[in-house]
Structures are given as C-alpha cells and as structure tokens.
Amino acid sequence: MAAIVCNSDEARRVDLALAAWRQGDGALSERWFIHVGDAARALTSAAANADEPGLQALTYEVDGLLMLTQTCDLVRDCTLRSFVEVCPLLTVDPETLESIRRGQRPNRVFVPGLADRRLVGDLDRVMTVEKSVVADWERTPGCETDDDARRLATALARKRARAAFPDDFIVFVDKLRKRMISKHAKDSLEGKALREIREIRVAAAPEWNAPSVEITFIFICDEEPVLENQDWAQILDNWFALAPPSGRFVQVYGNVNSLADLTAQVYVNSDPLDLEYLSSTS
C-alpha cells in the first residue's frame, strides 16, 4: 500500500513534529471527533427527511483528543506508519475522576498530566488520524514518569484484554464483588486492605470449562502487605464466606502476594478479575 505522506520534505517535517509525542499525550485544542452514525437520528426532524438519509460521518465537539498509539509507532517513519489512533477527552467530576484513577471504570482512562483539568480518555470511541494532521497539533504531555506511562498502557490494554469468565462464575463471585466495591473507600481494616491491592487475579484448575473447578484468588500488592498476617487471614475468611464452594466450584483458595514475591508462572496462568466490569451473556 502506498504511503499517505510521499513528499520527502513533508515526511521529514511530520517525523520531526511527532518525535516528541508519547502515548497518553493530549491535544487539548482539537475539539472535534468523527464517527459513522445514523444521520436521521443526529439531525433535526426536518433535516431527517433530506434526500440522503442513512449512515454518515458525524462530527461531535469534545474536550480534546488523547493519543492512544504506542510511542514506538508514533515516532516511526511516517511513510511506514502513516496513522495514529486517538480517543476523545471528557471532563468529569472529582469523584468520577478518582474512581477512574483507581481503575474502576475500564471504559475510561486516567491521564496523570491532565488530572488537574479533570480530563479522562473515553475508550469507547476511537478515531484514526493521519500523522500529517497530528504534526500541526499542540502537544500536552500526559505522563511524566515511566511508572505513569506503564500504568496508562496497562489501562489501555485492560479495555481489550479482559477475561471472558463463564456466566456461572460471574454469579458465583457477585456477592464478593459487591462487598469489595462497597468497602474500598471505607476507613476500616477491610478498606485499608482493599486499597493495598494493586490487582486481583483468579486461577481455575484444571480449567474454566471443567465439570469441577478449584478457584484461587490472588491479591497482588505493590509492596509487602502492610497489614498483619492475622488481619489478612480474617479478611480473606470473611470474603470467601461470600463465595463458598457451590456448583462446579468445589474449592476456593486465596493468597496475598507482593509483586516481588509473585512468580511469572502464577501470573500468566491466571486472569485479571475486573470487579467493575464483570458481565454475563444472560
């Protein structure tokens, strides 16, 4: 396929302009977003009777655009990688911003460099743009540290990499899910424990579709857990009382690990448990 940018001088200009861009950067002055929609619904009732009803490219005003493309592809020669992906930026209230920062809304992404403006990325809508267009945009940095960049990349991946758990497991874990969500912000031992947890993963043995399954919940903390072992033991007992063995799920286990203690094998053989975004097909 022929490159979109073919003039060598223009290509150099574009590459130079995008050299500073990084995944998670914002374009706050770009207030437009285009998607294909039903023109009849988008227009007034009078205009809906026009001669050309049906699907059209519709432009909406947004609060800016967020760069989703990985940095390595952003800075590559525009004759080899001519396009980038962006999503709209939305302004949210402080409470919603905090819930997104905690990862409780997978269809939104927290951007540290834009948090003072209460801007977040709307991952439900994605638009493709030529790099030659981005070259004229004003860049606002989104991530100031490597850790910020890693967390943002993880949040972007999470939107499309969520595990498809069996419906009976979603029913099985529902009371536990609701308990953890309701207690996360509480000033209690349980609330402190939940705020220590970076990620929850779950493993099924021998596999999810087996007639009898043993479930292991893995609670991962950034550092060594601050709470005492006996406190964690009591908390886990209380949590698992909400998800006792039943149906195909014949045993339920759980453990708390720091990132340093967690083995790669355990990590890759388990699935992330997204408490806010479990969904059933029923």
Side-chain angles (χ1 to χ4, degrees):
M1 178 177 176
I4 298 298
V5 179
C6 53
N7 179 283
S8 59
D9 290 338
E10 172 66 4
R12 282 193 292 270
R13 183 190 75 84
V14 172
D15 288 341
L16 182 61
L18 269 72
W21 278 80
R22 299 291 181 267
Q23 186 179 57
D25 287 345
L28 305 188
S29 60
E30 305 305 317
R31 299 301 188 100
W32 52 276
F33 186 86
I34 300 173
H35 77 252
V36 175
D38 185 346
R41 287 190 296 108
L43 301 176
T44 64
S45 57
N49 295 320
D51 293 335
E52 297 182 3
L55 299 180
Q56 291 187 14
L58 306 174
T59 302
Y60 290 88
E61 185 174 358
V62 295
D63 296 329
L65 299 173
L66 179 69
M67 183 60 67
L68 301 181
T69 297
Q70 291 180 314
T71 301
C72 57
D73 288 328
L74 273 171
V75 300
R76 287 195 68 183
D77 186 334
C78 66
T79 63
L80 301 175
R81 289 286 190 275
S82 301
F83 302 98
V84 300
E85 291 183 339
V86 297
C87 74
L89 287 168
L90 304 176
T91 303
V92 298
D93 59 72
E95 183 178 352
T96 301
L97 180 69
E98 177 59 19
S99 71
I100 295 169
R101 186 193 66 80
R102 294 199 305 262
Q104 293 183 345
R105 302 193 181 200
N107 62 332
R108 303 285 187 263
V109 62
F110 178 81
V111 186
L114 306 180
D116 60 339
R117 298 176 172 89
R118 304 205 314 272
L119 290 171
V120 299
D122 175 8
L123 300 181
D124 283 339
R125 296 184 286 168
V126 178
M127 177 173 67
T128 300
V129 181
E130 289 182 29
K131 283 185 176 180
S132 57
V133 175
V134 181
D136 295 323
W137 291 356
E138 180 180 354
R139 169 182 173 261
T140 299
C143 298
E144 297 180 357
T145 68
D146 289 347
D147 188 56
D148 286 344
R150 280 191 291 267
R151 287 179 178 271
L152 184 135
T154 299
L156 296 180
R158 175 189 181 200
K159 176 69 165 62
R160 291 172 171 80
R162 293 190 305 271
F165 292 110
D167 286 353
D168 57 347
F169 174 75
I170 294 170
V171 174
F172 169 76
V173 80
D174 187 57
K175 289 183 180 179
L176 176 60
R177 179 187 71 85
K178 290 177 179 176
R179 172 79 179 191
M180 289 180 168
I181 291 173
S182 68
K183 297 299 182 180
H184 190 281
K186 301 294 184 181
D187 186 19
S188 62
L189 194 65
E190 188 175 7
K192 291 177 182 177
L194 286 164
R195 290 191 293 275
E196 273 197 63
I197 296 170
R198 173 194 178 103
E199 181 180 356
I200 303 172
R201 299 185 72 85
V202 61
E207 61 181 13
W208 282 111
N209 292 325
S212 297
V213 182
E214 295 183 0
I215 298 293
T216 301
F217 291 91
I218 307 156
F219 302 96
I220 306 171
C221 303
D222 282 316
E223 309 292 342
E224 286 296 327
V226 174
L227 298 184
E228 299 293 335
N229 288 340
Q230 60 267 29
D231 292 331
W232 272 113
Q234 182 60 56
I235 289 168
L236 293 182
D237 284 345
N238 293 339
W239 285 348
F240 294 147
L242 299 173
S246 63
R248 293 190 303 125
F249 308 111
V250 296
Q251 293 290 341
V252 181
Y253 307 101
N255 53 67
V256 182
N257 296 97
S258 68
L259 283 173
D261 294 334
L262 190 69
T263 68
Q265 183 176 17
V266 168
Y267 193 89
V268 300
N269 288 336
S270 58
D271 298 300
L273 182 65
D274 196 330
L275 295 177
E276 283 284 345
Y277 219 74
L278 287 176
S279 60
S280 156
T281 59
S282 60

